[in-house]
Amino acid sequence: MTRLTELAHAAVRTVLAAGEASIDATAGNGHDTRFLSVLVGPMGSVFAFDIQPEALARTAQKLHEASNVTLCQRDHAEMRNEIPPEFHGRIGAVMFNLGYLPGGDKSFTTQADSTLKAIASALELLRSGGILTVVAYIGHPGGSDEAEAVTNLLAKLPAGFSLREERNEESISAAPRLFVVHKRLAVG
Ligand SMILES: C[S@@+](CC[C@H](N)C(=O)[O-])C[C@H]1O[C@@H](n2cnc3c(N)ncnc32)[C@H](O)[C@@H]1O
C-alpha cells in the first residue's frame, strides 16, 4: 500500500523544481525535510520548522550537513515572519505532516489553532503554481478536531486555489487524510 506521505512526495515532485525555495512546516524526524532538500538541490533552499529541539536534532542528523536547509525552532504559525521577505510569493512547496513526533514526546502535538494560522500563511507565501500538502491523522487526542478544522478551512479556499483530497487503498474513516492544494498559475 502506498503511504499518504509517499503520495504527498509524489505530488510535490510534480511541482517543485531544482533551485526553488520550500518549507517543511513540521520537521519531526526529518524525512520530508530531507526529501525537499534533495529535490531543490544545492541552489535551492528549505526552511524546516519544529517547536521541539529534539525533532530538529533528528532532522539535522538526516541531512548530512546539507547546506540548503535552515532549521527554525519556531511555531509554524510564525512562519510568515521567519521566512525572509525575498521568498514571499516565491515558495514552490509547503509540506505539513500533523500530529506528534514518532518516537518522541506525544504531548507536543500540532494544534488546530496554530495549524490553521500556519496554513493561511503558507498559502500567502506560495508562488503561482505552487503546492501545499497536509497529512492529518485522527487517531490521537485532538487529531480528529484538528483534521476537521483543516477540512473546513480548505473547503473555503480563496479564488485561485484548488483542493483535492488523495486517498490510499486503506481510506477508511479512521485513516489519515492527505490534502493537496495547488495555487493556480497566473494567466498572462
Ligand atoms: C508527525 S511529526 C512530523 C514528521 C516529519 N514531517 C517527518 O518527515 O519525519 C509532527 C511534528 O510537528 C511538530 N509540531 C507540533 N506543533 C508544532 C508547531 N506549532 N509548529 C511547528 N512544529 C510543530 C512536532 O514537534 C512533531 O515533530
Side-chain angles (χ1 to χ4, degrees), residues 25-32 49-52 55 74-76 97-102 108-110 114:
T26 50
N29 284 317
H31 299 105
D32 296 327
F49 288 82
D50 207 292
I51 47 173
Q52 292 192 74
R74 286 273 186 282
D75 186 332
H76 45 211
N97 189 345
L98 303 176
Y100 54 81
L101 177 65
F108 286 102
T109 185
T110 52
S114 50

mmCIF file with all atom_site columns, all heavy atoms in Angstrom, residues 25-32 49-52 55 74-76 97-102 108-110 114, ligand 1:
data_model
loop_
_atom_site.group_PDB
_atom_site.id
_atom_site.type_symbol
_atom_site.label_atom_id
_atom_site.label_alt_id
_atom_site.label_comp_id
_atom_site.label_asym_id
_atom_site.label_entity_id
_atom_site.label_seq_id
_atom_site.pdbx_PDB_ins_code
_atom_site.Cartn_x
_atom_site.Cartn_y
_atom_site.Cartn_z
_atom_site.occupancy
_atom_site.B_iso_or_equiv
_atom_site.pdbx_formal_charge
_atom_site.auth_seq_id
_atom_site.auth_comp_id
_atom_site.auth_asym_id
_atom_site.auth_atom_id
_atom_site.pdbx_PDB_model_num
ATOM   1   N N   . ALA A 1 25  ? 6.819  22.461 7.285  1.00 0.00 ? 25  ALA A N   1
ATOM   2   C CA  . ALA A 1 25  ? 6.209  23.131 8.444  1.00 0.00 ? 25  ALA A CA  1
ATOM   3   C C   . ALA A 1 25  ? 6.275  22.289 9.706  1.00 0.00 ? 25  ALA A C   1
ATOM   4   O O   . ALA A 1 25  ? 6.030  22.804 10.806 1.00 0.00 ? 25  ALA A O   1
ATOM   5   C CB  . ALA A 1 25  ? 4.754  23.482 8.129  1.00 0.00 ? 25  ALA A CB  1
ATOM   6   N N   . THR A 1 26  ? 6.581  20.999 9.576  1.00 0.00 ? 26  THR A N   1
ATOM   7   C CA  . THR A 1 26  ? 6.653  20.089 10.737 1.00 0.00 ? 26  THR A CA  1
ATOM   8   C C   . THR A 1 26  ? 7.823  19.132 10.510 1.00 0.00 ? 26  THR A C   1
ATOM   9   O O   . THR A 1 26  ? 7.641  18.027 10.006 1.00 0.00 ? 26  THR A O   1
ATOM   10  C CB  . THR A 1 26  ? 5.333  19.280 10.869 1.00 0.00 ? 26  THR A CB  1
ATOM   11  O OG1 . THR A 1 26  ? 5.020  18.694 9.596  1.00 0.00 ? 26  THR A OG1 1
ATOM   12  C CG2 . THR A 1 26  ? 4.163  20.145 11.316 1.00 0.00 ? 26  THR A CG2 1
ATOM   13  N N   . ALA A 1 27  ? 9.014  19.549 10.904 1.00 0.00 ? 27  ALA A N   1
ATOM   14  C CA  . ALA A 1 27  ? 10.221 18.792 10.529 1.00 0.00 ? 27  ALA A CA  1
ATOM   15  C C   . ALA A 1 27  ? 10.240 17.380 11.122 1.00 0.00 ? 27  ALA A C   1
ATOM   16  O O   . ALA A 1 27  ? 10.659 16.432 10.447 1.00 0.00 ? 27  ALA A O   1
ATOM   17  C CB  . ALA A 1 27  ? 11.456 19.568 10.973 1.00 0.00 ? 27  ALA A CB  1
ATOM   18  N N   . GLY A 1 28  ? 9.843  17.227 12.390 1.00 0.00 ? 28  GLY A N   1
ATOM   19  C CA  . GLY A 1 28  ? 9.752  15.896 13.002 1.00 0.00 ? 28  GLY A CA  1
ATOM   20  C C   . GLY A 1 28  ? 11.047 15.108 12.892 1.00 0.00 ? 28  GLY A C   1
ATOM   21  O O   . GLY A 1 28  ? 12.118 15.567 13.302 1.00 0.00 ? 28  GLY A O   1
ATOM   22  N N   . ASN A 1 29  ? 10.956 13.932 12.296 1.00 0.00 ? 29  ASN A N   1
ATOM   23  C CA  . ASN A 1 29  ? 12.150 13.091 12.141 1.00 0.00 ? 29  ASN A CA  1
ATOM   24  C C   . ASN A 1 29  ? 12.949 13.417 10.888 1.00 0.00 ? 29  ASN A C   1
ATOM   25  O O   . ASN A 1 29  ? 13.933 12.736 10.587 1.00 0.00 ? 29  ASN A O   1
ATOM   26  C CB  . ASN A 1 29  ? 11.752 11.610 12.145 1.00 0.00 ? 29  ASN A CB  1
ATOM   27  C CG  . ASN A 1 29  ? 11.428 11.135 13.553 1.00 0.00 ? 29  ASN A CG  1
ATOM   28  O OD1 . ASN A 1 29  ? 12.135 11.468 14.503 1.00 0.00 ? 29  ASN A OD1 1
ATOM   29  N ND2 . ASN A 1 29  ? 10.345 10.385 13.697 1.00 0.00 ? 29  ASN A ND2 1
ATOM   30  N N   . GLY A 1 30  ? 12.525 14.409 10.144 1.00 0.00 ? 30  GLY A N   1
ATOM   31  C CA  . GLY A 1 30  ? 13.344 14.910 9.040  1.00 0.00 ? 30  GLY A CA  1
ATOM   32  C C   . GLY A 1 30  ? 13.149 14.255 7.685  1.00 0.00 ? 30  GLY A C   1
ATOM   33  O O   . GLY A 1 30  ? 13.832 14.610 6.728  1.00 0.00 ? 30  GLY A O   1
ATOM   34  N N   . HIS A 1 31  ? 12.196 13.330 7.578  1.00 0.00 ? 31  HIS A N   1
ATOM   35  C CA  . HIS A 1 31  ? 12.028 12.655 6.275  1.00 0.00 ? 31  HIS A CA  1
ATOM   36  C C   . HIS A 1 31  ? 11.616 13.636 5.186  1.00 0.00 ? 31  HIS A C   1
ATOM   37  O O   . HIS A 1 31  ? 12.148 13.618 4.074  1.00 0.00 ? 31  HIS A O   1
ATOM   38  C CB  . HIS A 1 31  ? 10.989 11.532 6.372  1.00 0.00 ? 31  HIS A CB  1
ATOM   39  C CG  . HIS A 1 31  ? 11.369 10.461 7.339  1.00 0.00 ? 31  HIS A CG  1
ATOM   40  N ND1 . HIS A 1 31  ? 10.776 10.329 8.575  1.00 0.00 ? 31  HIS A ND1 1
ATOM   41  C CD2 . HIS A 1 31  ? 12.311 9.501  7.276  1.00 0.00 ? 31  HIS A CD2 1
ATOM   42  C CE1 . HIS A 1 31  ? 11.333 9.321  9.217  1.00 0.00 ? 31  HIS A CE1 1
ATOM   43  N NE2 . HIS A 1 31  ? 12.264 8.802  8.458  1.00 0.00 ? 31  HIS A NE2 1
ATOM   44  N N   . ASP A 1 32  ? 10.631 14.488 5.516  1.00 0.00 ? 32  ASP A N   1
ATOM   45  C CA  . ASP A 1 32  ? 10.148 15.434 4.496  1.00 0.00 ? 32  ASP A CA  1
ATOM   46  C C   . ASP A 1 32  ? 11.187 16.515 4.217  1.00 0.00 ? 32  ASP A C   1
ATOM   47  O O   . ASP A 1 32  ? 11.353 16.947 3.072  1.00 0.00 ? 32  ASP A O   1
ATOM   48  C CB  . ASP A 1 32  ? 8.824  16.073 4.942  1.00 0.00 ? 32  ASP A CB  1
ATOM   49  C CG  . ASP A 1 32  ? 7.705  15.065 5.062  1.00 0.00 ? 32  ASP A CG  1
ATOM   50  O OD1 . ASP A 1 32  ? 7.697  14.093 4.271  1.00 0.00 ? 32  ASP A OD1 1
ATOM   51  O OD2 . ASP A 1 32  ? 6.854  15.219 5.953  1.00 0.00 ? 32  ASP A OD2 1
ATOM   52  N N   . PHE A 1 49  ? 10.563 23.858 10.055 1.00 0.00 ? 49  PHE A N   1
ATOM   53  C CA  . PHE A 1 49  ? 10.059 24.323 11.351 1.00 0.00 ? 49  PHE A CA  1
ATOM   54  C C   . PHE A 1 49  ? 9.740  23.159 12.279 1.00 0.00 ? 49  PHE A C   1
ATOM   55  O O   . PHE A 1 49  ? 9.197  22.145 11.838 1.00 0.00 ? 49  PHE A O   1
ATOM   56  C CB  . PHE A 1 49  ? 8.749  25.116 11.158 1.00 0.00 ? 49  PHE A CB  1
ATOM   57  C CG  . PHE A 1 49  ? 8.950  26.460 10.525 1.00 0.00 ? 49  PHE A CG  1
ATOM   58  C CD1 . PHE A 1 49  ? 9.079  26.576 9.156  1.00 0.00 ? 49  PHE A CD1 1
ATOM   59  C CD2 . PHE A 1 49  ? 9.028  27.604 11.298 1.00 0.00 ? 49  PHE A CD2 1
ATOM   60  C CE1 . PHE A 1 49  ? 9.276  27.822 8.560  1.00 0.00 ? 49  PHE A CE1 1
ATOM   61  C CE2 . PHE A 1 49  ? 9.229  28.840 10.724 1.00 0.00 ? 49  PHE A CE2 1
ATOM   62  C CZ  . PHE A 1 49  ? 9.348  28.948 9.352  1.00 0.00 ? 49  PHE A CZ  1
ATOM   63  N N   . ASP A 1 50  ? 10.054 23.325 13.547 1.00 0.00 ? 50  ASP A N   1
ATOM   64  C CA  . ASP A 1 50  ? 9.525  22.434 14.577 1.00 0.00 ? 50  ASP A CA  1
ATOM   65  C C   . ASP A 1 50  ? 9.700  23.140 15.918 1.00 0.00 ? 50  ASP A C   1
ATOM   66  O O   . ASP A 1 50  ? 10.634 23.914 16.093 1.00 0.00 ? 50  ASP A O   1
ATOM   67  C CB  . ASP A 1 50  ? 10.239 21.075 14.606 1.00 0.00 ? 50  ASP A CB  1
ATOM   68  C CG  . ASP A 1 50  ? 9.334  19.972 15.152 1.00 0.00 ? 50  ASP A CG  1
ATOM   69  O OD1 . ASP A 1 50  ? 9.005  20.007 16.362 1.00 0.00 ? 50  ASP A OD1 1
ATOM   70  O OD2 . ASP A 1 50  ? 8.912  19.090 14.371 1.00 0.00 ? 50  ASP A OD2 1
ATOM   71  N N   . ILE A 1 51  ? 8.764  22.870 16.839 1.00 0.00 ? 51  ILE A N   1
ATOM   72  C CA  . ILE A 1 51  ? 8.871  23.506 18.159 1.00 0.00 ? 51  ILE A CA  1
ATOM   73  C C   . ILE A 1 51  ? 9.802  22.721 19.073 1.00 0.00 ? 51  ILE A C   1
ATOM   74  O O   . ILE A 1 51  ? 10.206 23.221 20.110 1.00 0.00 ? 51  ILE A O   1
ATOM   75  C CB  . ILE A 1 51  ? 7.482  23.657 18.827 1.00 0.00 ? 51  ILE A CB  1
ATOM   76  C CG1 . ILE A 1 51  ? 6.709  22.346 18.732 1.00 0.00 ? 51  ILE A CG1 1
ATOM   77  C CG2 . ILE A 1 51  ? 6.700  24.800 18.216 1.00 0.00 ? 51  ILE A CG2 1
ATOM   78  C CD1 . ILE A 1 51  ? 5.409  22.354 19.521 1.00 0.00 ? 51  ILE A CD1 1
ATOM   79  N N   . GLN A 1 52  ? 10.143 21.481 18.700 1.00 0.00 ? 52  GLN A N   1
ATOM   80  C CA  . GLN A 1 52  ? 10.940 20.640 19.595 1.00 0.00 ? 52  GLN A CA  1
ATOM   81  C C   . GLN A 1 52  ? 12.400 20.576 19.151 1.00 0.00 ? 52  GLN A C   1
ATOM   82  O O   . GLN A 1 52  ? 12.682 20.127 18.026 1.00 0.00 ? 52  GLN A O   1
ATOM   83  C CB  . GLN A 1 52  ? 10.393 19.216 19.599 1.00 0.00 ? 52  GLN A CB  1
ATOM   84  C CG  . GLN A 1 52  ? 9.038  19.079 20.223 1.00 0.00 ? 52  GLN A CG  1
ATOM   85  C CD  . GLN A 1 52  ? 8.707  17.619 20.456 1.00 0.00 ? 52  GLN A CD  1
ATOM   86  O OE1 . GLN A 1 52  ? 9.239  16.993 21.356 1.00 0.00 ? 52  GLN A OE1 1
ATOM   87  N NE2 . GLN A 1 52  ? 7.826  17.094 19.625 1.00 0.00 ? 52  GLN A NE2 1
ATOM   88  N N   . ALA A 1 55  ? 13.347 17.225 17.703 1.00 0.00 ? 55  ALA A N   1
ATOM   89  C CA  . ALA A 1 55  ? 12.961 16.977 16.305 1.00 0.00 ? 55  ALA A CA  1
ATOM   90  C C   . ALA A 1 55  ? 13.977 17.616 15.357 1.00 0.00 ? 55  ALA A C   1
ATOM   91  O O   . ALA A 1 55  ? 14.397 16.996 14.375 1.00 0.00 ? 55  ALA A O   1
ATOM   92  C CB  . ALA A 1 55  ? 11.562 17.544 16.048 1.00 0.00 ? 55  ALA A CB  1
ATOM   93  N N   . ARG A 1 74  ? 10.691 27.150 15.870 1.00 0.00 ? 74  ARG A N   1
ATOM   94  C CA  . ARG A 1 74  ? 9.603  28.125 15.974 1.00 0.00 ? 74  ARG A CA  1
ATOM   95  C C   . ARG A 1 74  ? 8.277  27.428 15.728 1.00 0.00 ? 74  ARG A C   1
ATOM   96  O O   . ARG A 1 74  ? 8.198  26.463 14.985 1.00 0.00 ? 74  ARG A O   1
ATOM   97  C CB  . ARG A 1 74  ? 9.733  29.186 14.870 1.00 0.00 ? 74  ARG A CB  1
ATOM   98  C CG  . ARG A 1 74  ? 10.819 30.188 15.066 1.00 0.00 ? 74  ARG A CG  1
ATOM   99  C CD  . ARG A 1 74  ? 10.322 31.373 15.912 1.00 0.00 ? 74  ARG A CD  1
ATOM   100 N NE  . ARG A 1 74  ? 11.327 32.400 15.993 1.00 0.00 ? 74  ARG A NE  1
ATOM   101 C CZ  . ARG A 1 74  ? 12.390 32.356 16.786 1.00 0.00 ? 74  ARG A CZ  1
ATOM   102 N NH1 . ARG A 1 74  ? 12.587 31.320 17.571 1.00 0.00 ? 74  ARG A NH1 1
ATOM   103 N NH2 . ARG A 1 74  ? 13.273 33.339 16.797 1.00 0.00 ? 74  ARG A NH2 1
ATOM   104 N N   . ASP A 1 75  ? 7.234  27.989 16.293 1.00 0.00 ? 75  ASP A N   1
ATOM   105 C CA  . ASP A 1 75  ? 5.866  27.592 15.956 1.00 0.00 ? 75  ASP A CA  1
ATOM   106 C C   . ASP A 1 75  ? 5.640  27.943 14.480 1.00 0.00 ? 75  ASP A C   1
ATOM   107 O O   . ASP A 1 75  ? 5.931  29.067 14.053 1.00 0.00 ? 75  ASP A O   1
ATOM   108 C CB  . ASP A 1 75  ? 4.916  28.409 16.857 1.00 0.00 ? 75  ASP A CB  1
ATOM   109 C CG  . ASP A 1 75  ? 3.470  28.007 16.713 1.00 0.00 ? 75  ASP A CG  1
ATOM   110 O OD1 . ASP A 1 75  ? 3.085  27.529 15.627 1.00 0.00 ? 75  ASP A OD1 1
ATOM   111 O OD2 . ASP A 1 75  ? 2.717  28.198 17.673 1.00 0.00 ? 75  ASP A OD2 1
ATOM   112 N N   . HIS A 1 76  ? 5.120  27.000 13.718 1.00 0.00 ? 76  HIS A N   1
ATOM   113 C CA  . HIS A 1 76  ? 4.911  27.296 12.296 1.00 0.00 ? 76  HIS A CA  1
ATOM   114 C C   . HIS A 1 76  ? 3.882  28.411 12.061 1.00 0.00 ? 76  HIS A C   1
ATOM   115 O O   . HIS A 1 76  ? 3.818  28.965 10.971 1.00 0.00 ? 76  HIS A O   1
ATOM   116 C CB  . HIS A 1 76  ? 4.576  26.046 11.471 1.00 0.00 ? 76  HIS A CB  1
ATOM   117 C CG  . HIS A 1 76  ? 3.563  25.138 12.090 1.00 0.00 ? 76  HIS A CG  1
ATOM   118 N ND1 . HIS A 1 76  ? 3.573  23.771 11.902 1.00 0.00 ? 76  HIS A ND1 1
ATOM   119 C CD2 . HIS A 1 76  ? 2.501  25.382 12.898 1.00 0.00 ? 76  HIS A CD2 1
ATOM   120 C CE1 . HIS A 1 76  ? 2.572  23.227 12.552 1.00 0.00 ? 76  HIS A CE1 1
ATOM   121 N NE2 . HIS A 1 76  ? 1.906  24.180 13.160 1.00 0.00 ? 76  HIS A NE2 1
ATOM   122 N N   . ASN A 1 97  ? 2.953  17.703 8.009  1.00 0.00 ? 97  ASN A N   1
ATOM   123 C CA  . ASN A 1 97  ? 2.658  16.337 8.430  1.00 0.00 ? 97  ASN A CA  1
ATOM   124 C C   . ASN A 1 97  ? 2.293  16.460 9.917  1.00 0.00 ? 97  ASN A C   1
ATOM   125 O O   . ASN A 1 97  ? 3.162  16.598 10.766 1.00 0.00 ? 97  ASN A O   1
ATOM   126 C CB  . ASN A 1 97  ? 3.897  15.465 8.218  1.00 0.00 ? 97  ASN A CB  1
ATOM   127 C CG  . ASN A 1 97  ? 3.625  13.990 8.430  1.00 0.00 ? 97  ASN A CG  1
ATOM   128 O OD1 . ASN A 1 97  ? 2.600  13.616 9.002  1.00 0.00 ? 97  ASN A OD1 1
ATOM   129 N ND2 . ASN A 1 97  ? 4.542  13.159 8.000  1.00 0.00 ? 97  ASN A ND2 1
ATOM   130 N N   . LEU A 1 98  ? 0.980  16.494 10.181 1.00 0.00 ? 98  LEU A N   1
ATOM   131 C CA  . LEU A 1 98  ? 0.498  16.897 11.506 1.00 0.00 ? 98  LEU A CA  1
ATOM   132 C C   . LEU A 1 98  ? 0.664  15.776 12.537 1.00 0.00 ? 98  LEU A C   1
ATOM   133 O O   . LEU A 1 98  ? 1.037  14.650 12.207 1.00 0.00 ? 98  LEU A O   1
ATOM   134 C CB  . LEU A 1 98  ? -0.973 17.320 11.403 1.00 0.00 ? 98  LEU A CB  1
ATOM   135 C CG  . LEU A 1 98  ? -1.248 18.448 10.398 1.00 0.00 ? 98  LEU A CG  1
ATOM   136 C CD1 . LEU A 1 98  ? -2.753 18.727 10.308 1.00 0.00 ? 98  LEU A CD1 1
ATOM   137 C CD2 . LEU A 1 98  ? -0.483 19.715 10.765 1.00 0.00 ? 98  LEU A CD2 1
ATOM   138 N N   . GLY A 1 99  ? 0.379  16.123 13.807 1.00 0.00 ? 99  GLY A N   1
ATOM   139 C CA  . GLY A 1 99  ? 0.440  15.124 14.869 1.00 0.00 ? 99  GLY A CA  1
ATOM   140 C C   . GLY A 1 99  ? 1.662  15.288 15.744 1.00 0.00 ? 99  GLY A C   1
ATOM   141 O O   . GLY A 1 99  ? 2.173  16.389 15.918 1.00 0.00 ? 99  GLY A O   1
ATOM   142 N N   . TYR A 1 100 ? 2.136  14.168 16.297 1.00 0.00 ? 100 TYR A N   1
ATOM   143 C CA  . TYR A 1 100 ? 3.264  14.205 17.245 1.00 0.00 ? 100 TYR A CA  1
ATOM   144 C C   . TYR A 1 100 ? 4.501  13.590 16.613 1.00 0.00 ? 100 TYR A C   1
ATOM   145 O O   . TYR A 1 100 ? 4.431  12.927 15.566 1.00 0.00 ? 100 TYR A O   1
ATOM   146 C CB  . TYR A 1 100 ? 2.887  13.484 18.542 1.00 0.00 ? 100 TYR A CB  1
ATOM   147 C CG  . TYR A 1 100 ? 2.387  12.077 18.330 1.00 0.00 ? 100 TYR A CG  1
ATOM   148 C CD1 . TYR A 1 100 ? 3.279  11.017 18.148 1.00 0.00 ? 100 TYR A CD1 1
ATOM   149 C CD2 . TYR A 1 100 ? 1.020  11.802 18.280 1.00 0.00 ? 100 TYR A CD2 1
ATOM   150 C CE1 . TYR A 1 100 ? 2.822  9.731  17.926 1.00 0.00 ? 100 TYR A CE1 1
ATOM   151 C CE2 . TYR A 1 100 ? 0.561  10.515 18.060 1.00 0.00 ? 100 TYR A CE2 1
ATOM   152 C CZ  . TYR A 1 100 ? 1.470  9.489  17.889 1.00 0.00 ? 100 TYR A CZ  1
ATOM   153 O OH  . TYR A 1 100 ? 1.015  8.220  17.656 1.00 0.00 ? 100 TYR A OH  1
ATOM   154 N N   . LEU A 1 101 ? 5.626  13.810 17.295 1.00 0.00 ? 101 LEU A N   1
ATOM   155 C CA  . LEU A 1 101 ? 6.898  13.275 16.816 1.00 0.00 ? 101 LEU A CA  1
ATOM   156 C C   . LEU A 1 101 ? 6.930  11.766 17.064 1.00 0.00 ? 101 LEU A C   1
ATOM   157 O O   . LEU A 1 101 ? 6.940  11.332 18.221 1.00 0.00 ? 101 LEU A O   1
ATOM   158 C CB  . LEU A 1 101 ? 8.041  13.960 17.581 1.00 0.00 ? 101 LEU A CB  1
ATOM   159 C CG  . LEU A 1 101 ? 9.464  13.502 17.291 1.00 0.00 ? 101 LEU A CG  1
ATOM   160 C CD1 . LEU A 1 101 ? 9.861  13.833 15.859 1.00 0.00 ? 101 LEU A CD1 1
ATOM   161 C CD2 . LEU A 1 101 ? 10.433 14.159 18.272 1.00 0.00 ? 101 LEU A CD2 1
ATOM   162 N N   . PRO A 1 102 ? 6.959  10.953 16.012 1.00 0.00 ? 102 PRO A N   1
ATOM   163 C CA  . PRO A 1 102 ? 7.008  9.500  16.245 1.00 0.00 ? 102 PRO A CA  1
ATOM   164 C C   . PRO A 1 102 ? 8.264  9.142  17.040 1.00 0.00 ? 102 PRO A C   1
ATOM   165 O O   . PRO A 1 102 ? 9.355  9.605  16.730 1.00 0.00 ? 102 PRO A O   1
ATOM   166 C CB  . PRO A 1 102 ? 7.074  8.915  14.820 1.00 0.00 ? 102 PRO A CB  1
ATOM   167 C CG  . PRO A 1 102 ? 6.490  9.972  13.947 1.00 0.00 ? 102 PRO A CG  1
ATOM   168 C CD  . PRO A 1 102 ? 6.887  11.282 14.587 1.00 0.00 ? 102 PRO A CD  1
ATOM   169 N N   . PHE A 1 108 ? 3.585  16.957 22.606 1.00 0.00 ? 108 PHE A N   1
ATOM   170 C CA  . PHE A 1 108 ? 3.858  18.063 21.684 1.00 0.00 ? 108 PHE A CA  1
ATOM   171 C C   . PHE A 1 108 ? 3.234  17.763 20.325 1.00 0.00 ? 108 PHE A C   1
ATOM   172 O O   . PHE A 1 108 ? 3.938  17.509 19.349 1.00 0.00 ? 108 PHE A O   1
ATOM   173 C CB  . PHE A 1 108 ? 5.366  18.280 21.510 1.00 0.00 ? 108 PHE A CB  1
ATOM   174 C CG  . PHE A 1 108 ? 6.013  18.915 22.683 1.00 0.00 ? 108 PHE A CG  1
ATOM   175 C CD1 . PHE A 1 108 ? 6.747  18.158 23.576 1.00 0.00 ? 108 PHE A CD1 1
ATOM   176 C CD2 . PHE A 1 108 ? 5.885  20.281 22.914 1.00 0.00 ? 108 PHE A CD2 1
ATOM   177 C CE1 . PHE A 1 108 ? 7.348  18.744 24.670 1.00 0.00 ? 108 PHE A CE1 1
ATOM   178 C CE2 . PHE A 1 108 ? 6.485  20.875 24.007 1.00 0.00 ? 108 PHE A CE2 1
ATOM   179 C CZ  . PHE A 1 108 ? 7.219  20.100 24.894 1.00 0.00 ? 108 PHE A CZ  1
ATOM   180 N N   . THR A 1 109 ? 1.922  17.782 20.303 1.00 0.00 ? 109 THR A N   1
ATOM   181 C CA  . THR A 1 109 ? 1.257  17.508 19.028 1.00 0.00 ? 109 THR A CA  1
ATOM   182 C C   . THR A 1 109 ? 0.816  18.824 18.396 1.00 0.00 ? 109 THR A C   1
ATOM   183 O O   . THR A 1 109 ? 0.668  19.826 19.091 1.00 0.00 ? 109 THR A O   1
ATOM   184 C CB  . THR A 1 109 ? 0.073  16.544 19.255 1.00 0.00 ? 109 THR A CB  1
ATOM   185 O OG1 . THR A 1 109 ? -0.486 16.204 18.001 1.00 0.00 ? 109 THR A OG1 1
ATOM   186 C CG2 . THR A 1 109 ? -0.988 17.140 20.140 1.00 0.00 ? 109 THR A CG2 1
ATOM   187 N N   . THR A 1 110 ? 0.651  18.827 17.088 1.00 0.00 ? 110 THR A N   1
ATOM   188 C CA  . THR A 1 110 ? 0.167  20.047 16.439 1.00 0.00 ? 110 THR A CA  1
ATOM   189 C C   . THR A 1 110 ? -1.240 20.356 16.945 1.00 0.00 ? 110 THR A C   1
ATOM   190 O O   . THR A 1 110 ? -1.990 19.459 17.318 1.00 0.00 ? 110 THR A O   1
ATOM   191 C CB  . THR A 1 110 ? 0.159  19.889 14.911 1.00 0.00 ? 110 THR A CB  1
ATOM   192 O OG1 . THR A 1 110 ? -0.549 18.680 14.579 1.00 0.00 ? 110 THR A OG1 1
ATOM   193 C CG2 . THR A 1 110 ? 1.577  19.819 14.347 1.00 0.00 ? 110 THR A CG2 1
ATOM   194 N N   . SER A 1 114 ? -2.919 26.857 15.793 1.00 0.00 ? 114 SER A N   1
ATOM   195 C CA  . SER A 1 114 ? -1.669 27.260 15.128 1.00 0.00 ? 114 SER A CA  1
ATOM   196 C C   . SER A 1 114 ? -1.560 26.623 13.752 1.00 0.00 ? 114 SER A C   1
ATOM   197 O O   . SER A 1 114 ? -1.013 27.221 12.818 1.00 0.00 ? 114 SER A O   1
ATOM   198 C CB  . SER A 1 114 ? -0.445 26.935 15.992 1.00 0.00 ? 114 SER A CB  1
ATOM   199 O OG  . SER A 1 114 ? -0.492 25.616 16.426 1.00 0.00 ? 114 SER A OG  1
HETATM 200 C C1  . LIG B 2 .   ? 4.241  13.842 12.543 1.00 0.00 ? 1   LIG B C1  1
HETATM 201 S S1  . LIG B 2 .   ? 5.623  14.806 13.033 1.00 0.00 ? 1   LIG B S1  1
HETATM 202 C C2  . LIG B 2 .   ? 6.309  15.341 11.503 1.00 0.00 ? 1   LIG B C2  1
HETATM 203 C C3  . LIG B 2 .   ? 7.035  14.248 10.738 1.00 0.00 ? 1   LIG B C3  1
HETATM 204 C C4  . LIG B 2 .   ? 8.013  14.805 9.742  1.00 0.00 ? 1   LIG B C4  1
HETATM 205 N N1  . LIG B 2 .   ? 7.405  15.584 8.699  1.00 0.00 ? 1   LIG B N1  1
HETATM 206 C C5  . LIG B 2 .   ? 8.926  13.763 9.146  1.00 0.00 ? 1   LIG B C5  1
HETATM 207 O O1  . LIG B 2 .   ? 9.113  13.727 7.932  1.00 0.00 ? 1   LIG B O1  1
HETATM 208 O O2  . LIG B 2 .   ? 9.530  12.995 9.917  1.00 0.00 ? 1   LIG B O2  1
HETATM 209 C C6  . LIG B 2 .   ? 4.865  16.317 13.625 1.00 0.00 ? 1   LIG B C6  1
HETATM 210 C C7  . LIG B 2 .   ? 5.865  17.306 14.178 1.00 0.00 ? 1   LIG B C7  1
HETATM 211 O O3  . LIG B 2 .   ? 5.201  18.565 14.330 1.00 0.00 ? 1   LIG B O3  1
HETATM 212 C C8  . LIG B 2 .   ? 5.825  19.242 15.394 1.00 0.00 ? 1   LIG B C8  1
HETATM 213 N N2  . LIG B 2 .   ? 4.988  20.350 15.837 1.00 0.00 ? 1   LIG B N2  1
HETATM 214 C C9  . LIG B 2 .   ? 3.960  20.335 16.717 1.00 0.00 ? 1   LIG B C9  1
HETATM 215 N N3  . LIG B 2 .   ? 3.427  21.564 16.842 1.00 0.00 ? 1   LIG B N3  1
HETATM 216 C C10 . LIG B 2 .   ? 4.148  22.385 16.039 1.00 0.00 ? 1   LIG B C10 1
HETATM 217 C C11 . LIG B 2 .   ? 4.088  23.778 15.754 1.00 0.00 ? 1   LIG B C11 1
HETATM 218 N N4  . LIG B 2 .   ? 3.159  24.564 16.305 1.00 0.00 ? 1   LIG B N4  1
HETATM 219 N N5  . LIG B 2 .   ? 4.992  24.303 14.890 1.00 0.00 ? 1   LIG B N5  1
HETATM 220 C C12 . LIG B 2 .   ? 5.937  23.506 14.312 1.00 0.00 ? 1   LIG B C12 1
HETATM 221 N N6  . LIG B 2 .   ? 6.037  22.169 14.546 1.00 0.00 ? 1   LIG B N6  1
HETATM 222 C C13 . LIG B 2 .   ? 5.150  21.622 15.397 1.00 0.00 ? 1   LIG B C13 1
HETATM 223 C C14 . LIG B 2 .   ? 6.042  18.175 16.429 1.00 0.00 ? 1   LIG B C14 1
HETATM 224 O O4  . LIG B 2 .   ? 7.030  18.563 17.355 1.00 0.00 ? 1   LIG B O4  1
HETATM 225 C C15 . LIG B 2 .   ? 6.440  16.967 15.550 1.00 0.00 ? 1   LIG B C15 1
HETATM 226 O O5  . LIG B 2 .   ? 7.833  16.841 15.496 1.00 0.00 ? 1   LIG B O5  1
#
